[in-house]
């Protein structure tokens, strides 16, 4: 399995760079790392609201939220989510929050 | 992930000139963007398949010492079990009628993507080990030795076939190319070699009942969220139920519709249509997937994953099963299910409780396709429709491969669309109905790392969409498959960005007039209806 190194720590990731160990190994430094590869200048409170919501939803429901559930619950239009996470809610926000990549007919 | 080529670059690299060397001497090049990631051991283990750690680009695939024996024994076993396999190995006369019918060949030019070429990869081994001519004459009889390079070639090209069966329509012998690909993939899985985009959904489906791996509480909460969305837009309260014993009908949909746009709008469409006619139905959090990626894996997996449909129908005591807008689900349900998982003698022959119509065609499987159900509602005047609510869309219809070619479902979706939309235009005749072009992301290939092949294979479909866009201003591509709703979106963004993708039941629901509804100014995706373009949403 591929690994990435950041601030002296080693993370196992899948081929698309999602955190292989998921929420169990997720930590704040991972957010910092994803910030650098995603080209996000600064992780703000707005990012954290999204990250926390995604993680809570995942813990409760066992799946990432559909995009519109995400947008409606955090009270941000999709356009704003894309501004915050340039790779989008799945490849950007979910990756940062330590959620797995969705599979299937998606 | 490989960077996708620009459109011009992609077009300029389509090359129909075959390589200088003969096909047996030409090895595949695993170029990023043209293949999918390997199936992960953690997923293979879930279904008790061999679970090697490997990558397709490895020089040494680290095969077990007896790998050749495993493959040849596997072929022998299947040749005796499946008469079609033997027939399709023997019967091809290499006439070439299929050669230019595959979307991957049209958009790429690799001769091994001519269906006859792809099948020859397996046939050559069949000849060498299972026919006298091949054993004696070898290469002269089109036979060759089974080597590790042959396996690599199988893996590369059997995952460049979407099992869409367009080529089979043109084959004078009716050879079902999908079955050849299925057999190639099944043999490779004897060594644990497959792709993760197909295998992870298989593993998740085996564990949780659906490809996405949505557990019961998640499944319920997501569907309820979309019921709330319906309320916000229409003022109508739909009340979905789950695992409800005694419901008349069990309704099974592809889980993609629960999760990803624009499938979620289709899901809202189903619920609104059923609410409109007061249908007594239930969702199931166990039979929570219509799709069956087992079809892209092995015959055994089709059966194992599909078993839950009848099991749940029996447990809940429903009369029959209604299925949603899924594609490959219908190859399984229409052609394999009764033999594999039946007989479903505990269910009744399906009769619409709203119109009394008996669905004779579903007598054996006890499963009705939603477009048959809805077309019948319309025919009996059971839906109150305001077509003008779809005047903001100019629609064309993409025949999703399996409902079209594995079911012959051509008229029902068109009948529905014509009845709920004022503006509908067909794509050119040779690209629709049984000759429809694939979305190029079916059979488990709709993943991002495979993007170059998807966009190449998508070129024929996209070209006909572009044609009706330019000629008639088409801005919506309707389809009846969740893989379509995921992959056509990307394909349209790339080739025809002016066109958005929709399920048929989103169009139905947009047109429905309910008693007590609030004034409708937007469609299900929040887009303004005609005449309300300047108005605020909601």
């Amino acid at each position: 399995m591929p690994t990435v190194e950041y601030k002296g720590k080693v993370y196992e990731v899948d081929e698309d760079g999602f955190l292989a160990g998921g929420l169990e190994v997720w930590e704040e430094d991972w957010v910092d790392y994803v910030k650098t590869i995603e080209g996000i200048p600064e992780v703000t409170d707005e990012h954290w609201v999204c990250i926390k919501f995604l993680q809570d939803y995942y813990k409760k429901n066992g799946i990432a939220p559909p995009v519109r559930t995400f947008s409606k619950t955090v009270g941000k239009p999709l356009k704003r989510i894309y501004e915050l996470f340039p790779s989008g809610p799945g490849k950007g926000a979910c990756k940062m929050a330590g959620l797995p990549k969705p599979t299937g007919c998606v | 992930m490989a960077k996708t080529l620009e459109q011009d670059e992609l077009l300029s690299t389509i090359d129909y000139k075959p390589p200088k060397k003969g096909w047996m001497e030409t090895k595949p090049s695993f170029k990023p963007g043209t293949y999918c990631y390997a199936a992960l051991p953690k997923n293979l283990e879930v279904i008790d398949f061999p679970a090697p750690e490997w990558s397709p680009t490895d020089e040494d695939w680290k095969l077990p010492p007896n790998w050749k024996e495993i493959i040849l024994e596997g072929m022998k076993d299947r040749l005796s079990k499946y008469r079609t396999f033997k027939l399709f190995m023997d019967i091809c006369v290499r006439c070439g009628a299929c050669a230019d019918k595959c979307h991957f060949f049209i958009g790429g030019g690799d001769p091994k993507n001519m269906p006859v070429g792809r099948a020859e990869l397996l046939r050559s081994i069949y000849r060498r080990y299972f026919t006298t001519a091949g054993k004696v004459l070898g290469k002269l009889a089109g036979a060759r030795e089974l080597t590790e390079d042959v396996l690599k070639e199988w893996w590369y090209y059997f995952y460049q076939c979407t099992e869409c069966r367009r080529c089979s329509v043109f084959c004078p012998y009716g050879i079902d190319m999908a079955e050849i690909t299925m057999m190639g993939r099944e043999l490779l899985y004897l060594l644990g070699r497959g792709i993760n985009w197909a295998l992870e959904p298989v593993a998740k489906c085996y564990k949780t009942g659906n490809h996405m791996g949505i557990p019961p509480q998640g499944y319920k909460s997501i569907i309820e969220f979309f019921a709330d969305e319906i309320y916000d837009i229409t003022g109508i309260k739909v009340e979905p139920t789950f695992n409800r014993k005694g419901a008349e009908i069990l309704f099974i949909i592809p889980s993609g519709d629960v999760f990803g746009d624009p499938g979620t709008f289709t899901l809202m469409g189903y619920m609104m249509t059923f609410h409109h006619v007061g249908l007594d139905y239930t969702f199931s959090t166990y039979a929570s997937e219509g799709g069956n990626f087992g079809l892209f894996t092995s015959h055994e997996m089709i059966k194992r994953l599909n078993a839950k449909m009848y099991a749940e129908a029996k447990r809940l005591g429903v009369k029959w099963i209604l299925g949603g807008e899924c594609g490959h689900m219908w190859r399984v349900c229409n052609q394999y299910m009764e033999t594999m998982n039946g007989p479903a003698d505990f269910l009744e022959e399906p009769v619409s409780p709203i119109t009394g119509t008996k669905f004779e065609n579903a007598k054996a499987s006890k499963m009705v396709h939603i477009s048959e159900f809805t077309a019948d509602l319309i025919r009996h005047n059971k839906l109150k429709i305001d077509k003008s609510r779809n005047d903001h869309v100019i629609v064309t219809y993409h025949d999703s491969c399996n409902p079209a070619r594995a079911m012959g479902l051509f008229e029902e979706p068109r009948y529905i669309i014509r009845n709920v939309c004022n503006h509908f235009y067909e794509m050119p005749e040779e690209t629709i109905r049984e000759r429809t072009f694939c979305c190029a992301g079916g059979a488990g290939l709709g993943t991002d790392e495979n993007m170059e092949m998807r966009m190449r294979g998508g070129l024929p479909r996209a070209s006909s969409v572009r044609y009706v866009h330019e000629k008639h201003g088409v801005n919506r591509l309707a389809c009846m498959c969740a893989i379509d709703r995921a992959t056509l979106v990307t394909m349209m963004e790339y080739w025809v960005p002016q066109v958005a993708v929709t399920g048929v039941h989103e169009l139905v629901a947009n047109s429905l007039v309910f008693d007590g509804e609030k004034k409708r100014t937007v469609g299900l995706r929040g887009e303004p209806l005609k005449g309300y373009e300047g108005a605020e949403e909601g």
Side-chain angles (χ1 to χ4, degrees), chain A residues 1-35:
Chain A
M1 186 163 285
T3 54
V4 294
E5 212 180 314
Y6 182 72
K7 287 189 183 165
K9 285 181 185 153
V10 178
Y11 300 101
E12 285 201 329
V13 294
D14 75 2
E15 291 95 335
D16 291 323
F18 282 73
L19 192 58
L23 287 182
E24 277 174 34
V25 298
W26 177 90
E27 55 184 10
E28 292 199 9
D29 280 347
W30 171 256
V31 173
D32 263 355
Y33 162 70
V34 177
K35 179 187 93 171

Side-chain angles (χ1 to χ4, degrees), chain B residues 347-389:
Chain B
L347 294 174
E348 292 179 15
E349 286 175 21
V351 173
S352 169
I354 315 299
T355 65
T357 298
K358 199 169 187 175
F359 296 100
E360 296 281 351
N361 57 318
K363 214 170 170 174
S365 68
K366 317 286 199 294
M367 268 196 91
V368 176
H369 191 287
I370 191 166
S371 73
E372 297 172 319
F373 179 78
T374 302
D376 177 65
L377 292 176
I378 294 172
R379 196 169 181 83
H380 287 86
N381 264 326
K382 299 292 180 189
L383 300 182
K384 202 171 168 195
I385 291 164
D386 177 358
K387 283 169 98 168
S388 73
R389 286 183 181 172

Side-chain angles (χ1 to χ4, degrees), chain A residues 1 14-16 20 57 59-70 72-73 78 91 100-106, chain B residues 37 197 200-201 204 211-215 217-218 221-222 225-226 229 232 256 258-259 261 264-265 268 448 482-483 486:
Chain A
M1 186 163 285
D14 75 2
E15 291 95 335
D16 291 323
Y57 189 96
K59 281 179 203 158
K60 196 171 152 208
N61 294 296
I63 180 89
V67 171
R68 278 186 293 142
T69 314
F70 179 26
K72 199 170 184 174
T73 318
L78 205 51
K91 285 166 205 152
K101 184 173 59 183
T103 57
C105 304
V106 288
Chain B
Y37 299 144
W197 196 251
E200 186 153 322
K204 283 184 171 164
H211 294 155
M212 309 281 310
I214 312 171
Q217 77 278 17
S221 82
I222 293 175
F225 172 85
F226 289 111
E229 288 278 282
D232 289 348
V258 175
F259 188 82
D261 296 346
T264 54
F265 307 119
M268 290 160 74
D448 287 1
I483 291 182

Side-chain angles (χ1 to χ4, degrees), chain A residues 48-70:
Chain A
W48 277 111
V49 166
C50 294
I51 292 169
K52 288 291 173 205
F53 167 71
L54 289 173
Q55 294 182 335
D56 288 347
Y57 189 96
Y58 188 85
K59 281 179 203 158
K60 196 171 152 208
N61 294 296
I63 180 89
V67 171
R68 278 186 293 142
T69 314
F70 179 26

Side-chain angles (χ1 to χ4, degrees), chain B residues 18 115 138 167 195 225 246 250 262 288 322 332 342 408 428 445 462 470 494 529:
Chain B
C167 50
I195 63 167
F225 172 85
L250 168 62
S288 49
L322 183 63
V332 177
L445 308 189
E470 286 172 358
Y494 186 80
L529 301 184

